[in-house]
Amino acid sequence: MDRVKIFDTTLRDGEQSPGCSMNLQEKIEVAKQLELMRVDVIEAGFAISSPGDFESVNTIAKTVKDCSVASLARATVKDIDTAWEAVKVATDPRIHLFIATSPLHMEYKLRMTPEQVLARTAEMVAHARKYCSNIEFSAEDATRSDWEFLAKVVNTAIANGATVINLPDTVGYTTPGEMRALIEYMVKHTDHAGRAEFSVHCHNDLGMAVANSLAGVLGGARQIECTVNGLGERAGNTALEEVVMAMHTRPDLYHVNTRLDTTRISRASKTVYNIIGQNAPLNKPIVGKNAFLHESGIHQHGVLANKQTYEILTPQSVGIVANNLVLGKHSGKHAFESRLNELGYHLSAEELLSCFEEFKVLCDKKKTINDEDIEAIVLHKTTTHDMPEDAGFKLDRFVVHTSNFTTSTSTVVLTRDGEKFEEVSLGDGPIDASFKAIDKIVNPEAHTFKTYTIHSISEGKDTLGDVTVRLAAGNRTYTGKGLSTDIIEASILAYINAINKMQYAAEQAKIREAN
Ligand code: KIV
Ligand code: ZN
């Protein structure tokens, strides 16, 4: 069987979608998960787009060892030079440059003639190739391009040293039949044999990104570009977990394999959802809560007799582990750790201790602790800080008075560096009052309050409330997370977490300026 390479662009195409921006620590956390999952290429960002992007591409290039690391670049000298500067430290660096080839994009966006686009392709691929032998060239809006012209561009890119030719369905316009035919046409009409492989990059505007990517494979593509949970602009990109599990489930049809450790999928998906403060829709294929549930009597009967009656892939194959141990207040650190290991979490001694302490606090509030609670604790403890643990304000205590006929009041006490601060505020409900009291203490820099989301971690009235708050200041977004069986406390914790991150970033910027 041929191998299909998995090119993950969660940190570039995924991250650039609204509400999905990640800070450096979060990007590193995602990159680590991608490496453990054994994707072939991590597109770490678009190095020229901002100093922050450059730093994260560069840090990921230094950190990741088992995958190629790519940076996106437009077909300009400055973009390519910056991309190279950022990725050159990687074990296997890749420059990914692109130029649009559709009549619409060439005329209205680039204001270039087809001849100019051809000439630029030749010049810029050759320029990138001077730096590195792993060069990906993308013909943006390929699926709305003229095929004959596209073949000329592809041949030019290959002749000048491109080793991967990516044909994106930039606006999610194509269909499976058309995508397969496009790749077959390019395989037939270009001089690629032994020099370059074809890749597909699909957007999901018409809900066909996964199907189109698979059709590209049938046409001869040997790289799929995708994102964890299908993150991406507008309706998203090809979902990694779906496209990979389709190939794994139907080798009889696709005759290909990947090098992915599919048992890492569930964890990677949770990490990404946790960072962006979202939950998988219940019926999301592969990673949704209901993806492996059988509720109807007929289905349950069938599954009990033989799982394959209604199960085409197992939860275990994507890393979902059946719960066989209920933890509670009498469970010790070993039982806790062994459950974590079964769930795929291997923590440092320090992380383990802090999660265990949190677990014990939860045991006093909740009778039984299930896997979802444990995972929530671990995800909160291990992926939410991008600043020293002891920096910023901490919640000491709060008191709220609220009813449906009076104005709510909240008194909040915070500590910082051993000092206590107390403020009281009125508000439109207990959460608003608490946030206002915190603002009085912190006096945060000007920002916009972007989003507040809350969801319950598990079933039952004593469930943990998981709150995400997003604040925006300058061109950055700060995500704060809070977890508690008390939703007002979870909200306060999330708000303090976001404010701390914002204040810390501002302080660091001032220090950089002063130096
Ligand atoms: O959708 C697209 O065309 C892209 C390219 C830049 C690869 O993301
Ligand atoms: Zn894209």
Side-chain angles (χ1 to χ4, degrees):
M1 286 207 284
D2 268 2
R3 184 144 82 77
V4 167
K5 289 192 177 151
I6 298 301
F7 174 114
D8 182 278
T9 182
T10 309
L11 297 173
R12 200 276 299 169
D13 224 358
E15 203 259 348
Q16 81 193 30
S17 62
C20 296
S21 58
M22 301 177 201
N23 63 41
L24 179 62
Q25 289 309 320
E26 290 164 341
K27 285 182 186 174
I28 294 170
E29 180 65 29
V30 172
K32 283 187 187 155
Q33 291 300 323
L34 294 172
E35 186 179 25
L36 284 171
M37 197 161 52
R38 305 197 73 230
V39 304
D40 296 273
V41 187
I42 296 176
E43 185 163 53
F46 189 3
I48 198 153
S49 66
S50 71
D53 247 60
F54 182 93
E55 191 192 357
S56 51
V57 176
N58 187 243
T59 311
I60 290 166
K62 284 181 198 148
T63 314
V64 164
K65 297 285 170 255
D66 190 35
C67 322
S68 180
V69 176
S71 170
L72 187 68
R74 283 164 300 195
T76 70
V77 169
K78 200 158 175 239
D79 270 43
I80 293 168
D81 291 354
T82 311
W84 176 243
E85 227 13 74
V87 293
K88 68 181 182 194
V89 285
T91 314
D92 181 14
R94 174 182 291 192
I95 300 175
H96 175 198
L97 70 146
F98 75 99
I99 192 163
T101 52
S102 67
L104 260 168
H105 278 231
M106 287 190 290
E107 184 178 346
Y108 294 100
K109 191 181 82 173
L110 298 177
R111 301 198 182 281
M112 287 168 82
T113 64
E115 290 68 35
Q116 286 171 323
V117 167
L118 264 177
R120 178 76 71 83
T121 301
E123 205 188 330
M124 289 304 121
V125 174
H127 180 68
R129 186 64 199 234
K130 279 191 252 158
Y131 292 128
C132 117
S133 57
N134 188 348
I135 302 296
E136 172 164 340
F137 171 79
S138 283
E140 192 189 11
D141 208 15
T143 52
R144 293 192 298 169
S145 303
D146 172 76
W147 288 14
E148 216 177 297
F149 171 67
L150 189 57
K152 274 193 205 160
V153 177
V154 168
N155 266 327
T156 304
I158 296 172
N160 283 280
T163 45
V164 178
I165 299 294
N166 183 39
L167 300 175
D169 184 27
T170 304
V171 289
Y173 175 74
T174 201
T175 62
E178 197 173 62
M179 186 51 122
R180 180 174 180 165
L182 172 66
I183 303 286
E184 280 171 349
Y185 179 93
M186 292 300 150
V187 168
K188 199 163 159 205
H189 292 88
T190 58
D191 187 14
H192 72 282
R195 307 168 77 188
E197 58 193 14
F198 284 98
S199 162
V200 281
H201 172 115
C202 299
H203 282 264
N204 203 29
D205 298 66
L206 295 175
M208 289 190 278
V210 170
N212 289 338
S213 304
L214 293 168
V217 168
L218 291 176
R222 287 298 173 262
Q223 177 179 281
I224 295 177
E225 304 201 352
C226 48
T227 58
V228 174
N229 301 332
L231 238 62
E233 281 194 271
R234 307 184 307 277
N237 289 49
T238 299
L240 177 149
E241 60 283 357
E242 296 176 25
V243 83
V244 165
M245 290 319 288
M247 290 185 288
H248 278 242
T249 308
R250 298 302 307 270
D252 55 318
L253 211 64
Y254 296 110
H255 307 289
V256 290
N257 56 29
T258 70
R259 67 163 204 161
L260 238 79
D261 176 357
T262 62
T263 64
R264 298 272 178 183
I265 283 179
S266 170
R267 169 80 197 274
S269 163
K270 282 182 182 145
T271 300
V272 170
Y273 273 128
N274 183 56
I275 286 172
I276 63 170
Q278 286 179 22
N279 269 338
L282 293 180
N283 63 346
K284 169 101 174 61
I286 316 297
V287 295
K289 230 175 176 176
N290 290 356
F292 295 98
L293 277 188
H294 304 281
E295 280 214 5
S296 93
I298 295 177
H299 287 203
Q300 284 178 347
H301 176 75
V303 169
L304 284 175
N306 180 340
K307 283 198 166 172
Q308 286 176 0
T309 48
Y310 287 99
E311 216 170 73
I312 57 164
L313 64 153
T314 64
Q316 291 78 12
S317 66
V318 296
I320 298 170
V321 200
N323 186 357
N324 50 15
L325 187 70
V326 175
L327 296 182
K329 111 191 258 151
H330 301 295
S331 309
K333 200 155 108 202
H334 282 301
F336 181 69
E337 185 177 15
S338 93
R339 189 68 202 135
L340 280 183
N341 292 347
E342 278 169 31
L343 291 169
Y345 297 90
H346 301 274
L347 307 186
S348 68
E350 203 187 328
E351 285 172 332
L352 180 65
L353 188 63
S354 117
C355 290
F356 186 63
E357 279 167 6
E358 188 81 20
F359 162 75
K360 282 288 174 187
V361 172
L362 183 60
C363 288
D364 282 335
K365 299 179 181 169
K366 212 169 173 278
K367 256 197 220 123
T368 51
I369 312 289
N370 62 22
D371 289 347
E372 286 155 328
D373 299 316
I374 293 173
E375 286 195 287
I377 291 175
V378 174
L379 288 169
H380 270 253
K381 284 275 171 199
T382 57
T383 59
T384 56
H385 38 80
D386 60 345
M387 52 187 282
E389 188 84 63
D390 52 357
F393 290 93
K394 302 265 174 292
L395 175 65
D396 183 58
R397 62 199 151 82
F398 68 92
V399 181
V400 291
H401 292 287
T402 192
S403 74
N404 63 354
F405 61 92
T406 53
T407 307
S408 303
T409 320
S410 175
T411 306
V412 178
V413 181
L414 303 184
T415 58
R416 184 179 174 158
D417 301 331
E419 210 182 326
K420 272 195 182 173
F421 305 87
E422 179 169 339
E423 281 294 349
V424 60
S425 180
L426 298 173
D428 189 9
I431 292 171
D432 183 47
S434 302
F435 288 1
K436 283 184 172 140
I438 293 168
D439 283 347
K440 280 190 181 174
I441 296 173
V442 179
N443 190 19
E445 64 169 301
H447 64 273
T448 320
F449 193 103
K450 293 293 257 190
T451 54
Y452 168 93
T453 49
I454 180 162
H455 78 266
S456 61
I457 293 294
S458 53
E459 286 159 14
K461 285 189 206 148
D462 59 354
T463 178
L464 279 168
D466 180 11
V467 174
T468 304
V469 164
R470 277 180 178 268
L471 309 177
N475 57 2
R476 282 193 59 180
T477 308
Y478 301 91
T479 306
K481 311 274 298 175
L483 189 67
S484 171
T485 46
D486 175 333
I487 58 167
I488 297 174
E489 182 174 39
S491 305
I492 290 174
L493 290 171
Y495 190 57
I496 295 172
N497 187 221
I499 292 264
N500 276 341
K501 286 180 178 179
M502 191 171 72
Q503 299 293 93
Y504 183 73
E507 281 161 20
Q508 293 301 104
K510 272 193 203 136
I511 294 171
R512 274 198 302 272
E513 261 169 41
N515 294 332

